Amino acid sequence: GQQLNQSPQSMFIQEGEDVSMNCTSSSIFNTWLWYKQDPGEGPVLLIALYKAGELTSNGRLTAQFGITRKDSFLNISASIPSDVGIYFCAGLNNNDMRFGAGTRLTVKP
Amino acid sequence: DAGVIQSPRHEVTEMGQEVTLRCKPISGHDYLFWYRQTMMRGLELLIYFNNNVPIDDSGMPEDRFSAKMPNASFSTLKIQPSEPRDSAVYFCASIPEGRGTGELFFGEGSRLTVL
C-alpha cells in the first residue's frame, strides 16, 4: 500500500488562480519528486528534489523538500487550462519509489 | 527515441480468463517497474526488476499475479485467473542504472477491464 498522504484529493479552480498541494509521510525519503499525469497517459516528471530544505522552480511550478525529509509541497502559479490533470508526489529511497494518491486538478477557463 | 512501450493499450476480458500484459523498456535502462493504478488506491508498485532479476515483489497482490523479464527488452505481467477487482490501469516504467535524476519513464499504460 501507499506510504504517502497527498492532499487535497481534488481541486476545482479558476484559470489564473494559484494552486498548492502537499504530501506527507511517516517515513523519511532521500528524494521527493512531483509527476503530472494527463488523461490516457503515464505520469511525467515535473520536478525532482534531492536535499532537505531544497526549493526548486520550473516555470510556474515551485516545489520544496521539507526539512524533516517527510514532506513536500508543490505550488502552481497563475494556472492555465492545460494544467488540468492528476499530480502525484513520489518519495524515493534507493530503488524503491512510492507514490501519493494524487491530486486531481480541474481548471475552469 | 522510443519510450516505454506497453501492449495492449486496452483489454476487456471475462472473469477467470488469463491476462498477459507486455512491456518493452527504454533501451539501456536496467530497472523495470510494474505499477497498478486505481481510483481507490492510486499508483501501487507491484514489482521491479534490475538487470532482468526480480528485486522486490512484495507489492504483488496474490499468487494469481506473476511477472517475468526473460531479457533486457521485454517483460510480462500475467494474471491467472483474472477477477473483476483486477480492473485497473497497469503501468510499466523504466530507469537507467545509477538512477540519474530518479525520474521514472512510464509507458502509456494498459487499461484492463475484467467483467
Side-chain angles (χ1 to χ4, degrees):
Chain A
Q2 297 167 48
Q3 302 172 9
L4 305 185
N5 298 308
Q6 186 172 349
S7 64
Q9 195 171 25
S10 61
M11 301 182 74
F12 296 83
I13 63 169
Q14 206 72 36
E15 182 178 0
E17 290 183 358
D18 296 342
V19 173
S20 184
M21 58 192 80
N22 69 81
C23 212
T24 61
S25 172
S26 58
S27 305
I28 289 173
F29 286 99
N30 295 323
T31 302
W32 281 90
L33 306 104
W34 286 90
Y35 285 78
K36 182 193 176 193
Q37 183 180 24
D38 290 325
E41 304 289 333
V44 174
L45 182 67
L46 296 175
I47 286 183
L49 302 153
Y50 303 104
K51 291 182 181 179
E54 179 181 356
L55 183 70
T56 296
S57 293
N58 180 6
R60 293 179 297 106
L61 306 179
T62 301
Q64 183 156 32
F65 190 149
I67 197 72
T68 65
R69 295 164 64 192
K70 293 183 178 181
D71 64 296
S72 177
F73 72 74
L74 174 71
N75 289 340
I76 306 173
S77 63
S79 59
I80 59 178
S82 62
D83 290 335
V84 164
I86 304 176
Y87 291 80
F88 292 97
C89 63
L92 175 65
N93 282 332
N94 298 317
N95 302 316
D96 190 356
M97 186 176 295
R98 302 287 170 161
F99 285 83
T103 295
R104 186 179 296 272
L105 179 63
T106 302
V107 180
K108 302 175 189 175
Chain B
D1 290 340
V4 175
I5 299 172
Q6 291 186 246
S7 65
R9 287 296 310 275
H10 303 273
E11 178 150 351
V12 181
T13 190
E14 293 188 344
M15 183 174 65
Q17 296 297 306
E18 179 178 292
V19 172
T20 300
L21 307 178
R22 298 172 179 80
C23 175
K24 182 182 187 320
I26 294 173
S27 177
H29 282 196
D30 301 278
Y31 287 86
L32 183 142
F33 301 78
W34 282 100
Y35 284 87
R36 177 173 67 176
Q37 184 178 32
T38 61
M39 287 291 291
M40 292 297 293
R41 300 174 67 87
L43 271 167
E44 299 175 278
L45 176 64
L46 300 178
I47 185 171
Y48 77 90
F49 296 82
N50 178 215
N51 291 321
N52 314 337
V53 177
I55 303 300
D56 184 354
D57 65 354
S58 59
M60 296 286 262
E62 48 197 273
D63 292 345
R64 296 184 298 107
F65 285 69
S66 62
K68 294 182 180 179
M69 192 166 184
N71 57 63
S73 59
F74 183 65
S75 177
T76 59
L77 178 67
K78 188 171 293 187
I79 309 172
Q80 167 64 18
S82 59
E83 297 182 3
R85 60 191 168 124
D86 301 330
S87 298
V89 181
Y90 291 82
F91 285 101
C92 177
S94 70
I95 202 164
E97 182 68 49
R99 297 195 71 89
T101 61
E103 179 179 5
L104 277 175
F105 294 84
F106 283 85
E108 294 182 313
S110 294
R111 181 176 294 276
L112 173 65
T113 303
V114 183
L115 303 175

